[in-house]
Amino acid sequence: MAERSITLEATISALAEQKKYPALRDILVTMNPADVAALFDELEEHTLPLLFRLLPKDQAAETFVEMDTDTQELLIRGFSDSELKEVVDELYVDDAVDLVEEMPANVVKRILRQADAETRKLINEILKYPDDSAGSIMTTEFVDLRPTMTAVDAIKHIKRTGVDSETINTCYITDNGKRLIGAVSIRAIILAEDEEPMADVMEDNVISIGTLADQEEAVSMFTKYNFTALPVVDGEGRLVGIITVDDAMDVMETEATEDIEIMGGVTPIDKPYLKTSAFQFWKSRIPWLMLLMISATFTGMILNHFEDALAAVTALTLFIPMLMDTGGNSGSQCSVTVIRALSLGDLSFSDLVAVIWKEIRVGVLCGLSLAVVAFGKIMLIDHLLLHNDGVTVLVALTVCLTLALVVLVAKIVGCILPMLADKLGFDPAVMSSPFITTIVDALSLLIYFCIAQQLLQL
Amino acid sequence: MAERSITLEATISALAEQKKYPALRDILVTMNPADVAALFDELEEHTLPLLFRLLPKDQAAETFVEMDTDTQELLIRGFSDSELKEVVDELYVDDAVDLVEEMPANVVKRILRQADAETRKLINEILKYPDDSAGSIMTTEFVDLRPTMTAVDAIKHIKRTGVDSETINTCYITDNGKRLIGAVSIRAIILAEDEEPMADVMEDNVISIGTLADQEEAVSMFTKYNFTALPVVDGEGRLVGIITVDDAMDVMETEATEDIEIMGGVTPIDKPYLKTSAFQFWKSRIPWLMLLMISATFTGMILNHFEDALAAVTALTLFIPMLMDTGGNSGSQCSVTVIRALSLGDLSFSDLVAVIWKEIRVGVLCGLSLAVVAFGKIMLIDHLLLHNDGVTVLVALTVCLTLALVVLVAKIVGCILPMLADKLGFDPAVMSSPFITTIVDALSLLIYFCIAQQLLQL
């Protein structure tokens, strides 16, 4: 993919240098707008406006939508007012909203000035919805039909208004009060008898979502019901917009990325890796690092408290990293599984007891298998092979008993914390690997020294 | 969601006990198949077949597809041959394939016996494609049109054949050799003039995917081009099927889950949490735990080697957990970001130098800020507040210098390993938190003791 773009980019740049505009246009019009956009993102600043002007009007608008924010801004700053108006007129409302949200204030002003009054009103309405709400990702362009329209009427209506609608695959039936009463696929309309009224063809149990619902809820409705569009209604049940499946997929991808980043202890950045500056990465990573480093004070205090025990049996120190790592890994395995199940809706807080009970059994199984192998390993490698006299059978027993207990405790902590966070309305992804590791580390050390005190009579 | 199902479930069960079948049917037919399926998954075994038989034929098939594998198997075992045939006849080919892949051999035999010869042939063809290939998730039911057909012809053709096709939102144009030459949305057909031939309406640069391409590639084409269906062609460019957007979304969700699980050091399990046994969880988690525990032998050996240094300055031990954790966290932050960028296609191996250079700068920024704060914290808390005499200014310097270096090294390791894995054809997700932590731990200790030997003259 990347390689093809590079060669193509070179060809295009060369043609642009030689001012072979007809050849350039011929190449560009055969390409998909997403590919043209990817190409344009790589171009040098001075060739960009030139090439963009070669595109036919509708391809230009579609390409514009797919470009990086930086490239869009560059283009807009170079546009004359009439050029800007041409692009803005061709944009779907939801794409125009995205654009307005991303651009700096002075560019936004220019865009809104060029949009016609109706579009400006629609953009402002969508902008009112909170971030991450269903309303904020919907488009207000859809086909609505009346229940009394026949199939022939409906197709006429679609022909008249459909060009402006982002998807006509599903049309919606509204009553006189604009309330959503049914949905009908374009397929059903085509397959219907000519004179059949929409009321007979439509599906009358329409599933819809409120404007203020979370966008993640919208996505899970797409995956559950296999929709290609989801109607959005206001508090009175009036149809105000639709969410299209391509936007749902984008949200799904973004949410998965956010979950993954939060699980890795990073504040999500909504930008491609190479476009993010080192300083931005620093800002997104340092809070967790700082917090976790400072909370490691506890592990230091525990070690401090048991300094005499460590001095008496120095061999105990050797196994601290292994115990801490294994505990951390056990806990994060469990938290990752539970966090993902929560976000897919497979688990809810009411399952807490079942989950704990399952993790206890998994913990016992994992703990015992690890302890047995660790005991063999310690006696064989540390005791026999490395001739470490400090590593006695009793020390090995202490380590393995701790290991089994730590794994068990880690599994329990790893499942309870995310579920609790979810219940309290936090993002459960926060309760993942880095956080769990810090807690489990402190617990591991406590367990280790308590067992050591008992077994080794310290 | 869960709560609503529970109340509804109780109502349904009560109605079933009282044999109020007409009322039950009235409730069920108003519901979306996905909701009926969720309800049926919770029902007791003996009421299930009874209620399923109340559903109208097409709703029954749609509901069947949405149910859990276990429930499906239960139902099929209770079906008479003619009941089974009714359901199988209503299934789309790709859903039938999914069913055949999930059922035990004897059930599969019964299903294939009930399918008509044509369907059986199609099922077997799709089954031939490798797991995770584009061919394995396509459906062979689509509308193909000829370039010479007029808009009126096309709509007639769709009316005649469209009922069987999973999506008619996009129709495909093929030549006499079945080769894909164009695509046309149903919207374009409706908006076209009656006598306009498809050759004039169609988009002739159709983007398609090969049957053997990876399904993830198909998903990234959906997100890039905002398709609702993607045509699948064989080696000779002949159209053999289409992938619909709902299946692409399912793949996207499954792949994200797999990435997250692998990053957490868990072998992915393709089952909801509550349906997975403790033993299955054990199997999916123990390999990584075992491997990482055993590789922690290295950290033990390093500590063993520097035992004298530790004995001389016992205060050094106090900071081992903090250094290891911070190193692990730094590394996993970086690896998580890079792994996600790789899987979204934002990064490729050719960016390696740029990535390393960026991570070096991030590492220096993070390392320095952490070191400064840590120095203050150690002097304030450990030295002044806890009166730990062992914690001298030199020890604090050793710790902070190590901290800065460890963070830098962790960032570099955390970005190189996933990119290397990707280049070598492994899943980069493997190179995440647990793995990186283990490597960084060993490096941290080495750096710690080397600096300690220099600064503290051990």
Side-chain angles (χ1 to χ4, degrees):
Chain A
M1 208 70 191
E3 283 163 48
R4 202 194 59 172
S5 302
I6 289 164
T7 2
L8 192 59
E9 192 197 325
T11 319
I12 300 268
S13 295
L15 285 172
E17 290 291 309
Q18 301 159 31
K19 309 207 163 131
K20 303 237 158 128
Y21 300 127
L24 275 170
R25 182 185 292 126
D26 287 347
I27 296 177
L28 292 176
V29 292
T30 63
M31 288 170 66
N32 184 292
D35 291 323
V36 179
L39 181 74
F40 280 12
D41 285 336
E42 303 299 320
L43 282 183
E44 283 176 59
E45 279 191 31
H46 67 277
T47 42
L48 179 63
L50 215 80
L51 289 185
F52 189 79
R53 290 190 182 112
L54 289 178
L55 296 174
K57 218 163 62 176
D58 54 337
Q59 199 192 6
E62 285 175 51
T63 302
F64 188 81
V65 171
E66 301 285 338
M67 290 189 300
D68 280 351
T69 314
D70 301 350
T71 322
Q72 287 176 334
E73 193 181 331
L74 207 78
L75 265 180
I76 294 182
R77 292 192 184 279
F79 278 163
S80 69
D81 280 355
S82 66
E83 279 176 322
L84 181 58
K85 184 168 172 49
E86 256 180 30
V87 170
V88 172
D89 280 350
E90 292 282 325
L91 291 182
Y92 288 121
V93 172
D94 57 341
D95 293 329
V97 169
D98 286 349
L99 186 64
V100 165
E101 280 179 328
E102 306 269 328
M103 291 293 127
N106 56 342
V107 176
V108 168
K109 252 192 213 156
R110 271 194 71 199
I111 295 173
L112 288 180
R113 212 163 42 219
Q114 296 311 321
D116 56 46
E118 177 62 11
T119 313
R120 197 161 48 231
K121 197 173 137 244
L122 292 173
I123 292 177
N124 284 324
E125 251 163 42
I126 296 183
L127 282 177
K128 272 192 325 219
Y129 295 109
D131 270 3
D132 299 341
S133 68
S136 72
I137 53 166
M138 73 184 183
T139 177
T140 50
E141 289 157 315
F142 52 85
V143 179
D144 57 341
L145 306 171
R146 286 306 158 83
T148 49
M149 284 181 175
T150 63
V152 171
D153 294 340
I155 288 186
K156 261 191 217 148
H157 183 86
I158 293 169
K159 280 202 186 195
R160 212 172 46 237
T161 63
V163 208
D164 280 338
S165 303
E166 187 159 359
T167 175
I168 59 163
N169 297 335
T170 309
C171 304
Y172 299 93
I173 321 285
T174 51
D175 66 10
N176 293 329
K178 283 251 160 216
R179 270 185 302 272
L180 178 66
I181 55 172
V184 59
S185 67
I186 188 85
R187 158 189 188 161
I189 300 180
I190 292 184
L191 298 178
E193 298 300 321
D194 285 356
E195 294 307 316
E196 225 172 335
M198 287 302 104
D200 291 1
V201 189
M202 74 186 191
E203 183 67 56
D204 50 7
N205 283 284
V206 203
I207 289 169
S208 61
I209 193 165
T211 45
L212 299 178
D214 194 294
Q215 58 179 9
E216 281 192 67
E217 202 182 309
V219 171
S220 67
M221 288 169 90
F222 272 94
T223 51
K224 182 169 180 195
Y225 299 116
N226 297 341
F227 289 144
T228 55
L230 175 66
V232 183
V233 295
D234 67 11
E236 277 80 48
R238 284 186 299 248
L239 180 62
V240 292
I242 60 170
I243 299 173
T244 51
V245 67
D246 54 318
D247 293 322
M249 279 188 105
D250 287 347
V251 171
M252 192 172 176
E253 193 173 88
T254 313
E255 297 279 353
T257 305
E258 274 186 24
D259 271 8
I260 290 176
E261 290 184 330
I262 295 174
M263 283 188 199
V266 177
T267 317
I269 303 176
D270 188 16
K271 259 189 172 181
Y273 185 93
L274 294 172
K275 303 245 168 186
T276 311
S277 71
F279 183 68
Q280 281 170 315
F281 275 127
W282 174 79
K283 270 204 307 188
S284 89
R285 295 182 188 175
I286 196 74
W288 270 112
L289 284 180
M290 207 56 96
L291 185 71
L292 295 171
M293 183 195 74
I294 295 194
S295 60
T297 308
F298 291 106
T299 50
M301 282 163 71
I302 295 170
L303 284 176
N304 202 7
H305 186 255
F306 291 101
E307 214 173 354
D308 297 339
L310 274 180
V313 189
T314 50
L316 285 179
T317 315
L318 302 185
F319 303 101
I320 291 179
M322 186 271 276
L323 288 172
M324 279 174 44
D325 278 353
T326 310
N329 289 334
S330 302
S332 63
Q333 283 185 330
C334 168
S335 69
V336 155
T337 313
V338 169
I339 290 168
R340 187 63 184 166
L342 283 168
S343 90
L344 292 181
D346 286 347
L347 281 183
S348 67
F349 191 72
S350 58
D351 301 315
L352 185 63
V353 177
V355 172
I356 295 179
W357 172 228
K358 184 157 285 170
E359 291 300 334
I360 289 179
R361 286 175 293 159
V362 180
V364 168
L365 282 174
C366 288
L368 287 181
S369 6
L370 288 169
V372 169
V373 174
F375 190 80
K377 192 216 81 167
I378 294 174
M379 293 314 290
L380 209 76
I381 298 187
D382 299 282
H383 188 75
L384 283 179
L385 226 66
L386 302 178
H387 301 293
N388 193 326
D389 297 331
V391 184
T392 60
V393 176
L394 265 186
V395 168
L397 265 181
T398 306
V399 172
C400 295
L401 205 55
T402 307
L403 190 62
L405 266 176
V406 162
V407 169
L408 180 62
V409 169
K411 294 284 182 208
I412 297 175
V413 171
C415 72
I416 292 180
L417 287 187
M419 296 190 80
L420 220 56
D422 191 48
K423 176 72 179 174
L424 297 176
F426 295 106
D427 186 343
V430 171
M431 294 299 169
S432 75
S433 177
F435 196 87
I436 301 271
T437 304
T438 307
I439 294 180
V440 169
D441 280 353
L443 292 175
S444 308
L445 289 176
L446 278 179
I447 296 174
Y448 192 31
F449 289 114
C450 289
I451 293 180
Q453 281 184 323
Q454 294 299 316
L455 280 188
L456 306 175
Q457 319 271 317
L458 297 174
Chain B
M1 205 73 190
E3 283 163 48
R4 201 194 63 172
S5 303
I6 289 163
T7 359
L8 192 60
E9 191 197 325
T11 319
I12 300 267
S13 296
L15 286 172
E17 290 290 309
Q18 301 158 32
K19 310 205 163 134
K20 303 239 158 125
Y21 300 127
L24 275 171
R25 180 185 293 126
D26 287 347
I27 297 177
L28 293 176
V29 291
T30 63
M31 288 170 65
N32 183 292
D35 291 323
V36 179
L39 181 75
F40 280 11
D41 285 336
E42 303 299 319
L43 282 183
E44 284 176 59
E45 279 192 30
H46 67 277
T47 41
L48 180 62
L50 215 80
L51 289 185
F52 189 80
R53 290 187 182 111
L54 288 177
L55 297 174
K57 218 163 59 175
D58 55 337
Q59 199 192 7
E62 285 175 51
T63 303
F64 188 80
V65 171
E66 301 285 337
M67 292 190 299
D68 280 350
T69 314
D70 301 350
T71 322
Q72 287 175 333
E73 192 180 334
L74 207 79
L75 264 181
I76 293 182
R77 292 191 184 280
F79 279 162
S80 69
D81 280 355
S82 66
E83 278 175 323
L84 181 57
K85 185 170 172 46
E86 256 179 29
V87 170
V88 172
D89 281 350
E90 292 282 327
L91 291 183
Y92 288 121
V93 171
D94 57 341
D95 293 328
V97 169
D98 287 348
L99 186 64
V100 165
E101 280 178 329
E102 305 269 327
M103 291 293 127
N106 56 344
V107 177
V108 168
K109 253 192 212 156
R110 270 194 70 201
I111 294 173
L112 289 180
R113 211 161 46 219
Q114 294 312 320
D116 56 46
E118 178 62 10
T119 313
R120 197 160 50 229
K121 198 173 136 246
L122 292 173
I123 293 178
N124 283 325
E125 252 163 43
I126 296 183
L127 282 176
K128 273 193 322 220
Y129 294 108
D131 270 3
D132 299 340
S133 69
S136 72
I137 54 167
M138 72 184 184
T139 176
T140 50
E141 289 157 316
F142 53 86
V143 179
D144 57 342
L145 305 172
R146 287 306 160 84
T148 49
M149 284 181 176
T150 64
V152 172
D153 293 341
I155 289 187
K156 261 190 215 148
H157 183 85
I158 293 169
K159 279 201 187 194
R160 211 171 48 236
T161 63
V163 209
D164 279 337
S165 303
E166 189 160 357
T167 175
I168 59 163
N169 296 335
T170 309
C171 304
Y172 298 92
I173 321 285
T174 51
D175 66 11
N176 293 329
K178 283 248 160 217
R179 270 184 303 272
L180 178 66
I181 55 172
V184 59
S185 67
I186 188 83
R187 159 190 188 163
I189 300 180
I190 291 183
L191 298 178
E193 298 300 319
D194 285 356
E195 294 308 316
E196 224 172 338
M198 286 302 104
D200 291 0
V201 189
M202 73 186 190
E203 183 68 54
D204 50 7
N205 284 283
V206 203
I207 289 167
S208 61
I209 192 166
T211 46
L212 299 178
D214 194 292
Q215 58 179 8
E216 280 191 67
E217 202 183 308
V219 170
S220 68
M221 289 169 89
F222 272 94
T223 52
K224 182 169 180 194
Y225 299 115
N226 297 341
F227 290 145
T228 55
L230 175 65
V232 183
V233 295
D234 66 12
E236 277 81 46
R238 284 185 300 247
L239 180 63
V240 291
I242 60 170
I243 299 174
T244 51
V245 67
D246 54 316
D247 293 323
M249 278 190 106
D250 287 348
V251 171
M252 191 172 176
E253 192 173 88
T254 313
E255 298 278 352
T257 306
E258 274 185 24
D259 271 7
I260 290 175
E261 290 184 331
I262 294 174
M263 284 187 198
V266 177
T267 317
I269 304 176
D270 188 16
K271 258 188 173 181
Y273 185 93
L274 294 172
K275 302 243 167 188
T276 311
S277 71
F279 182 68
Q280 281 170 314
F281 275 126
W282 175 78
K283 272 204 305 188
S284 89
R285 295 181 189 177
I286 197 72
W288 269 111
L289 285 180
M290 207 55 99
L291 184 71
L292 296 171
M293 183 195 75
I294 293 192
S295 60
T297 308
F298 290 105
T299 49
M301 281 163 72
I302 295 170
L303 285 176
N304 202 9
H305 186 255
F306 292 101
E307 215 172 356
D308 298 338
L310 274 180
V313 190
T314 50
L316 286 179
T317 316
L318 302 186
F319 303 100
I320 290 180
M322 186 270 277
L323 288 172
M324 280 173 44
D325 278 354
T326 309
N329 289 335
S330 302
S332 64
Q333 282 184 330
C334 169
S335 69
V336 154
T337 312
V338 169
I339 291 168
R340 186 63 184 166
L342 283 169
S343 90
L344 292 181
D346 286 348
L347 281 184
S348 67
F349 192 72
S350 58
D351 302 314
L352 184 63
V353 177
V355 172
I356 295 179
W357 172 229
K358 184 157 284 171
E359 290 300 336
I360 287 179
R361 285 175 293 159
V362 180
V364 169
L365 281 174
C366 288
L368 286 182
S369 8
L370 288 169
V372 169
V373 174
F375 189 81
K377 193 216 79 170
I378 293 173
M379 294 314 291
L380 209 77
I381 298 187
D382 299 283
H383 187 75
L384 283 179
L385 226 68
L386 301 179
H387 301 293
N388 193 325
D389 297 331
V391 183
T392 60
V393 175
L394 266 185
V395 168
L397 266 181
T398 306
V399 171
C400 295
L401 206 56
T402 308
L403 190 60
L405 266 176
V406 162
V407 169
L408 180 61
V409 168
K411 294 284 182 208
I412 298 175
V413 171
C415 72
I416 293 181
L417 287 187
M419 296 190 79
L420 221 54
D422 192 48
K423 176 70 180 174
L424 297 176
F426 296 106
D427 186 343
V430 171
M431 293 299 168
S432 76
S433 179
F435 196 86
I436 301 273
T437 304
T438 307
I439 294 181
V440 170
D441 280 353
L443 292 174
S444 309
L445 289 176
L446 277 179
I447 296 174
Y448 192 31
F449 288 114
C450 288
I451 294 182
Q453 281 183 322
Q454 294 300 315
L455 280 188
L456 307 175
Q457 318 271 319
L458 297 174

